[in-house]
Amino acid sequence: VSTWLATWNHVNAQAISAGAVRELTTEAALRHIDLVKQPLLLLMLALYSADPTSQPLNLDLSSADLYRRILDNFSRREVSKSISAFRTDEFDAAVSDHLWRLSVAAFAMFNRGRQDVSDDELGADLNALGRAVRAAAAVDLGRKLIGQFFFVYVAEAQRHDPDDTRRSYEFLHATFGEYLIASYIVELLSEMASSSKLARFSTHEPDDQLLYALLCHQALATRKTTLDFAIQLAGEFTPDKRELILSLLDSLIVSYRRRPSSDRYAGYSPMRIDHVRKLAAYSANLVLLRVMLGG
């Protein structure tokens, strides 16, 4: 790591002196040894740190906070490549949408029990989960996203038509997907908890349709890092907000067997339908989250 950084800083010495690039010292990098001992993640950390507008690395920075900064930084780069003249609110919305699409890709792999996803599978998931502006061919939606920085091409299969080629991709590093899943789950639980608080006098159960759609296929226990990230992210909330989330999970655990059916996300089917497995996976994930986030 020291040798790599010495070379990096030497090559960028002129830009560092001019203030156009921020230097990454060995001392700062080694504070995040689990990250920098992996060459690709060391490169990403160096690229993030090189941006003088990015927040500097702190000694007490959690892994989750570091991944959030890296993904946000690179998403902003991706958005700025396509549209340069955004209003601030439009730019932030585009970045948020880009991160949402990356999260859908992470769930697409996890919920299929794989580390990769094809472009048409991802496009189908994007359409089913409902943020596509218009009905678009699944493969086109998928290719638009996975042609970007965070993915690496792993295989392709040509169908009967020579022009009909399906490609599969995986994240540059598995931990990107694990962080994105944790971040989206915690954000969704936070939103649901806030909504439940506002509707605390209502007789209706919490609306868990999206949570159920995402968490009824695989058990989060197969990705321990995802749970570790979720614990760190939930730890950033105030005690009152954490208590609301735990109360929400208690309510969902009690009522999951009688939750109402809905067709809102019926098109989201990363696996063949098996109602018993779906209830089993969902209930297991609710209990896992309740136990892990409750300390």
Side-chain angles (χ1 to χ4, degrees):
V1 171
S2 297
T3 303
W4 192 97
L5 286 171
T7 304
W8 173 268
N9 290 325
H10 173 72
V11 170
N12 289 291
Q14 187 173 351
I16 291 171
S17 297
V21 167
R22 183 194 292 140
E23 181 181 14
L24 177 58
T25 66
T26 301
E27 179 185 13
L30 291 179
R31 293 171 184 166
H32 308 282
I33 185 61
D34 288 342
L35 207 67
V36 301
K37 68 184 180 183
Q38 302 180 64
L40 175 66
L41 298 185
L42 172 59
L43 171 63
M44 292 201 69
L45 190 67
L47 288 168
Y48 166 81
S49 299
D51 183 352
T53 64
S54 64
Q55 294 179 300
L57 300 176
N58 302 322
L59 182 60
D60 59 349
L61 201 62
S62 70
S63 297
D65 197 16
L66 188 58
Y67 273 81
R68 175 169 49 223
R69 293 185 185 189
I70 289 174
L71 283 159
D72 182 75
N73 181 272
F74 278 87
S75 292
R76 289 179 180 279
R77 290 187 183 201
E78 291 289 349
V79 171
S80 63
K81 287 178 187 177
S82 57
I83 303 179
S84 57
F86 263 139
R87 291 201 321 263
T88 301
D89 58 336
E90 292 176 331
F91 186 84
D92 290 343
V95 170
S96 176
D97 187 65
H98 185 262
L99 288 168
W100 175 82
R101 290 167 186 269
L102 289 175
S103 298
V104 173
F107 277 107
M109 299 175 200
F110 171 67
N111 281 333
R112 288 175 173 82
R114 308 200 309 258
Q115 292 283 6
D116 63 271
V117 66
S118 69
D119 40 21
D120 54 343
E121 288 172 332
L122 176 54
D125 288 1
L126 288 165
N127 265 328
L129 291 173
R131 281 202 197 176
V133 176
R134 57 182 177 81
V139 68
D140 293 334
L141 276 176
R143 283 178 181 170
K144 184 177 180 181
L145 177 63
I146 54 187
Q148 297 177 359
F149 175 84
F150 291 102
F151 300 92
V152 59
Y153 160 83
V154 290
E156 75 173 24
Q158 187 166 295
R159 303 189 178 184
H160 300 298
D161 183 348
D163 296 325
D164 188 16
T165 300
R166 295 294 183 262
R167 296 174 174 82
S168 293
Y169 295 79
E170 64 184 43
F171 279 106
L172 285 167
H173 198 274
T175 47
F176 288 133
E178 290 162 347
Y179 167 79
L180 285 161
I181 289 171
S183 177
Y184 195 77
I185 290 172
V186 171
E187 180 184 356
L188 184 55
L189 287 173
S190 174
E191 292 174 358
M192 289 173 63
S194 297
S195 297
S196 297
K197 181 183 179 183
L198 292 173
R200 64 186 181 277
F201 299 116
S202 170
T203 58
H204 298 292
E205 301 286 355
D207 181 358
D208 68 338
Q209 293 180 69
L210 179 55
L211 187 71
Y212 177 77
L214 295 173
L215 294 185
C216 70
H217 304 284
Q218 303 285 344
L220 290 167
T222 61
R223 299 284 184 90
K224 176 64 165 55
T225 306
T226 299
L227 290 169
D228 292 337
F229 279 135
I231 292 168
Q232 293 176 27
L233 291 164
E236 298 174 1
F237 292 135
T238 64
D240 287 347
K241 172 51 78 70
R242 287 199 298 274
E243 199 58 41
L244 276 175
I245 290 174
L246 296 180
S247 177
L248 168 70
L249 288 167
D250 285 337
S251 177
L252 293 173
I253 289 168
V254 168
S255 63
Y256 80 92
R257 292 180 67 172
R258 61 175 186 270
R259 61 179 306 279
S261 60
S262 170
D263 294 331
R264 191 187 305 174
Y265 300 107
Y268 183 66
S269 54
M271 297 184 69
R272 293 182 65 180
I273 294 175
D274 179 335
H275 297 294
V276 174
R277 188 200 68 243
K278 291 174 78 171
L279 277 180
Y282 186 54
S283 59
N285 285 329
L286 292 176
V287 173
L288 274 170
L289 289 166
R290 176 61 181 86
V291 172
M292 301 299 280
L293 300 187

